[in-house]
């Protein structure tokens, strides 16, 4: 058995297809109308079709109980891009976690949470570039020196 991806029930499949393309640069691999396959193994399913598949149980949006996680090498550039897109609803602005990774969370049109985090290689490189030693970076990030060496290459 192998994992195939994540399926999101959406209220308006065309709106969601545009959102995932414009905001996250996911491309359509296959379009079956009520089901869209995007790069990254993300599947969009019309709410009506999904409700049929789950025996008529209702779909509720905005439960805040999971997120889709993406990484960006240039988190500052990505934030500028997000700020230029009208209608983005943020869960929170750019924050920095205790281990140094900077992340932003926002909602898609159906209130599924999207997180875009700074690539961990870039976190290590940012700390090293700021003047921290390998050992100081490891301590700051609560990781091993070996991890820092591996990510710094």
């Amino acid at each position: 058995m192998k994992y195939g991806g994540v399926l999101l029930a959406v209220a308006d499949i065309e709106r969601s297809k545009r959102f995932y393309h414009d905001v996250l640069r996911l491309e359509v691999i296959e379009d079956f109308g009520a089901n869209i396959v995007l790069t990254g193994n993300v599947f969009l399913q019309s709410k009506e079709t999904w409700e049929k598949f789950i025996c008529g149980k209702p779909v509720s949006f905005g439960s805040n109980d999971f997120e889709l996680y993406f990484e960006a090498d240039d988190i500052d550039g990505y934030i500028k891009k997000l700020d230029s897109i009208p209608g983005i609803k943020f869960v929170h602005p750019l924050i920095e976690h205790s281990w140094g990774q900077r992340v932003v969370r926002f909602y898609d049109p159906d209130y599924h949470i999207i997180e875009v985090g700074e690539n961990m290689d870039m976190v290590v490189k940012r700390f090293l570039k700021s003047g921290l030693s390998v050992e100081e970076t490891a301590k700051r990030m609560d990781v091993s020196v070996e991890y820092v060496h591996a990510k710094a290459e």
Side-chain angles (χ1 to χ4, degrees), residues 4-8 10 13-32 35-45 68 70 108 114:
V6 63
L7 183 142
L8 302 172
V10 298
I13 205 147
E14 289 302 316
R15 176 184 68 179
S16 292
K17 186 167 60 170
R18 281 190 308 278
F19 175 88
Y20 280 91
H21 176 267
D22 295 349
V23 177
L24 296 162
R25 291 292 174 221
L26 300 184
E27 300 292 334
V28 173
I29 295 173
E30 296 183 83
D31 187 337
F32 302 107
N35 182 276
I36 309 287
V37 181
L38 302 174
T39 52
N41 292 340
V42 175
F43 302 84
L44 304 177
Q45 182 78 61
L68 295 178
F70 297 85
D108 81 353
I114 309 292

Side-chain angles (χ1 to χ4, degrees), residues 89-100:
K89 294 177 181 81
F90 290 92
V91 175
H92 61 72
L94 187 67
I95 61 170
E96 185 171 316
H97 287 300
S98 61
W99 57 90

